[in-house]
Amino acid sequence: MRRILTRPLTFVLLAGLFVTGPQIGQAETQIPQSQSEISLGFAPLVKEAAPAVVNIYARIIRQDRNRSPFANDPFFDDFFRQFAQPQPRVQNSLGSGVILSADGIVVSNYHVVGEASDIRVVTNDRREYAAEVILADEASDLAILQLHNADDLPFLELRNSDAVEVGELTLAIGNPFGVGQTVSSGIISGLARTGTGGGQGFGYYIQTDAPINPGNSGGALIDVNGDLIGINTRILSRSGGSNGIGFAIPANLVREFVRQAQDGATEFQRPWAGMTGQPVDADLAEALGMARVDGMLISELHPQSPFVAAGFEVGDVVTAVDGEPVNSPSEMAFRLSVAGLGGQSEITRLRQGASATVQVALSEAPDEPASAPIQLNEQTPMPGLVVAQINPRVINRLQLPLSATGVVVLDPGPYAGRGGVQSGDIVMGVNGQPVAAPQDVPRLLLESGRWMQLDLLRQGKRVALRFRL
């Protein structure tokens, strides 16, 4: 049986005022009429919403390399490197999750369950379920779980997070420090926060001052109607405890994750923009003759970008996607991710002072020309090495510069990896001979004598690695 909020709730505010109504935009301020109304607090809301927030216990097995006693010695380290064999290490992870459907769809953070081999989910009423990850994405720090043999579970509805406003009351529900389910209150402190986390630049968060601590990750940030605003994911703190600056992943991105998971996707698919950009600051706005300081300036476009096909040029300013403002590359990535693949988005473009709305097709990065990956066999000096032709799909997967061309390392394998080769290295040459296609690599390696040299391009810097065969 679905358990969701079916009636407006009443809450006491700081000065004895309270908000009532099914939507925050329709709230009206009233004077409490009785002692029971004054003492009501958040109890009815918590009673309705808390059962849909779960505790997650995950076990992650990592392969760690034994540290050689000569690891810091520049001479002996090379000799003893091969003896430092990987050893399994069990890491236990504790976090929270939110039930989003009666049949056991749960959302949490990637850093809680993304690499877990064993996951247990415990509900508010102490029922315990085994679970598996059905979709996860490290860049967005989101993971979708499916509980085994679950039905008729309480769940939360997803709110349109673009309608959230600064100053709204909010509750954070989770399992901080493993002490058990805990509720903390606050307000929405900020929107469209970017650059607060790591990953690949897709950070785009709602900020709240509701206390969030370790263990709250994956828990719920809800509004006064019990709808899910976002998934608590990180804090800004020097001590590791809450300083009143917490961040949640907006519900609109969670909705797209759930949709793709239910459609059977095994990897989260986000549209490819094929561009790089920078926020418009005061100096840029003045140089471009803009009346306002907003938008993202396009600084580079890949020839196969769908924005090129739609007529965009370097120097254009993107100010909105589907009517929502865009002021940074992170916001652009978020808006396209929410829109999803297969359709079109309305992109508001500013060029030479004139604004226009342009339809852009949303598609994944094309695999053209074919990447044609090759894995080297045991007859070559570097068995297990995987190389491929660089194309838009490879650029997007490895986060290479848009201008990258040639051949790239997808997987260094055991031998090249020990010698310092990394995934994402662009192979410029082997033994002084240029490399233009994947098949050039095994051919040139087989022509090596007692010594072999790889000329690589790594994050814009040239690297030369020498090997004795």
Side-chain angles (χ1 to χ4, degrees):
M1 175 179 179
R2 290 174 47 171
R3 294 203 293 177
I4 58 175
L5 295 179
T6 57
R7 53 184 171 79
L9 298 173
T10 307
F11 303 93
V12 179
L13 298 184
L14 293 177
L17 303 180
F18 67 93
V19 177
T20 182
Q23 296 180 359
I24 192 68
Q26 299 174 348
E28 75 181 57
T29 302
Q30 300 179 6
I31 302 298
Q33 301 298 313
S34 66
Q35 183 63 36
S36 62
E37 289 182 355
I38 294 175
S39 62
L40 186 60
F42 291 105
L45 174 59
V46 173
K47 187 177 296 184
E48 292 278 1
V53 181
V54 297
N55 298 335
I56 295 178
Y57 303 89
R59 186 176 67 170
I60 302 171
I61 299 178
R62 301 188 184 279
Q63 294 293 332
D64 285 354
R65 187 178 297 275
N66 288 334
R67 185 169 178 80
S68 166
F70 299 97
N72 294 322
D73 189 299
F75 180 77
F76 286 104
D77 186 35
D78 287 336
F79 289 93
F80 286 89
R81 188 190 307 273
Q82 61 182 335
F83 297 104
Q85 298 299 322
Q87 296 295 324
R89 176 173 62 89
V90 177
Q91 176 180 322
N92 293 314
S93 176
L94 173 67
S96 306
V98 182
I99 304 174
L100 296 180
S101 70
D103 61 351
I105 292 292
V106 173
V107 61
S108 185
N109 286 137
Y110 180 94
H111 72 262
V112 175
V113 298
E115 300 176 7
S117 58
D118 181 33
I119 304 171
R120 293 185 300 115
V121 175
V122 181
T123 63
N124 185 253
D125 58 3
R126 299 184 181 181
R127 284 180 289 173
E128 186 172 321
Y129 297 91
E132 63 177 323
V133 176
I134 58 175
L135 182 62
D137 183 66
E138 185 175 8
S140 300
D141 198 18
L142 280 175
I144 305 298
L145 307 175
Q146 175 65 65
L147 304 188
H148 296 172
N149 303 316
D151 58 15
D152 196 27
L153 293 175
F155 63 93
L156 295 183
E157 298 285 356
L158 290 165
R159 179 179 170 183
N160 176 12
S161 53
D162 288 332
V164 175
E165 297 182 85
V166 174
E168 287 191 33
L169 286 172
T170 186
L171 294 183
I173 308 176
N175 182 19
F177 300 109
V179 299
Q181 191 176 85
T182 302
V183 180
S184 56
S185 66
I187 63 170
I188 299 298
S189 306
L191 302 170
R193 298 303 196 205
T194 61
T196 61
Q200 301 175 29
F202 297 104
Y204 181 91
Y205 305 104
I206 296 170
Q207 182 184 335
T208 180
D209 70 345
I212 295 173
N213 287 290
N216 270 117
S217 292
L221 187 69
I222 63 173
D223 64 12
V224 294
N225 294 306
D227 292 331
L228 188 68
I229 296 174
I231 298 298
N232 300 322
T233 186
R234 63 181 70 248
I235 59 176
L236 192 60
S237 172
R238 294 181 179 178
S239 64
S242 175
N243 287 334
I245 303 178
F247 301 97
I249 299 169
N252 284 0
L253 184 58
V254 176
R255 181 180 288 107
E256 177 62 17
F257 262 80
V258 172
R259 185 193 69 77
Q260 291 194 24
Q262 291 177 329
D263 287 346
T266 56
E267 292 185 2
F268 182 68
Q269 301 293 323
R270 54 173 58 85
W272 182 64
M275 70 165 63
T276 60
Q278 64 184 94
V280 173
D281 56 19
D283 292 337
L284 272 176
E286 182 178 359
L288 296 170
M290 297 173 57
R292 297 174 54 190
V293 180
D294 65 353
M296 184 197 75
L297 177 71
I298 299 176
S299 54
E300 187 179 12
L301 280 167
H302 192 280
Q304 293 172 261
S305 165
F307 283 79
V308 170
F312 282 76
E313 301 173 359
V314 171
D316 289 345
V317 176
V318 176
T319 58
V321 174
D322 294 326
E324 297 296 335
V326 166
N327 292 292
S328 69
S330 292
E331 286 190 62
M332 185 76 176
F334 171 79
R335 293 297 170 196
L336 295 181
S337 296
V338 168
L341 292 172
Q344 291 187 327
S345 276
E346 291 187 348
I347 312 297
T348 304
R349 179 189 68 194
L350 189 64
R351 177 187 294 173
Q352 298 179 349
S355 181
T357 300
V358 182
Q359 297 281 340
V360 176
L362 302 180
S363 59
E364 60 182 331
D367 190 26
E368 298 174 3
S371 57
I374 292 178
Q375 182 173 11
L376 276 62
N377 58 32
E378 295 292 336
Q379 280 69 49
T380 65
M382 292 186 173
L385 174 69
V386 182
V387 294
Q389 194 77 41
I390 295 175
N391 64 17
R393 186 164 299 181
V394 173
I395 287 174
N396 189 50
R397 173 183 170 185
L398 298 178
Q399 296 298 295
L400 299 175
L402 290 179
S403 58
T405 58
V407 176
V408 67
V409 176
L410 296 183
D411 187 342
Y415 295 95
R418 284 203 296 267
V421 180
Q422 299 177 11
S423 175
D425 286 346
I426 298 175
V427 184
M428 307 294 292
V430 177
N431 299 323
Q433 299 297 313
V435 170
Q439 56 267 28
D440 292 342
V441 176
R443 176 178 59 81
L444 293 173
L445 286 177
L446 287 171
E447 295 175 359
S448 301
R450 292 186 62 188
W451 289 91
M452 176 183 65
Q453 178 170 314
L454 291 181
D455 296 314
L456 308 172
L457 188 64
R458 179 181 299 166
Q459 297 178 353
K461 298 180 180 180
R462 289 186 173 271
V463 177
L465 299 178
R466 298 196 72 191
F467 301 83
R468 184 175 179 177
L469 303 180

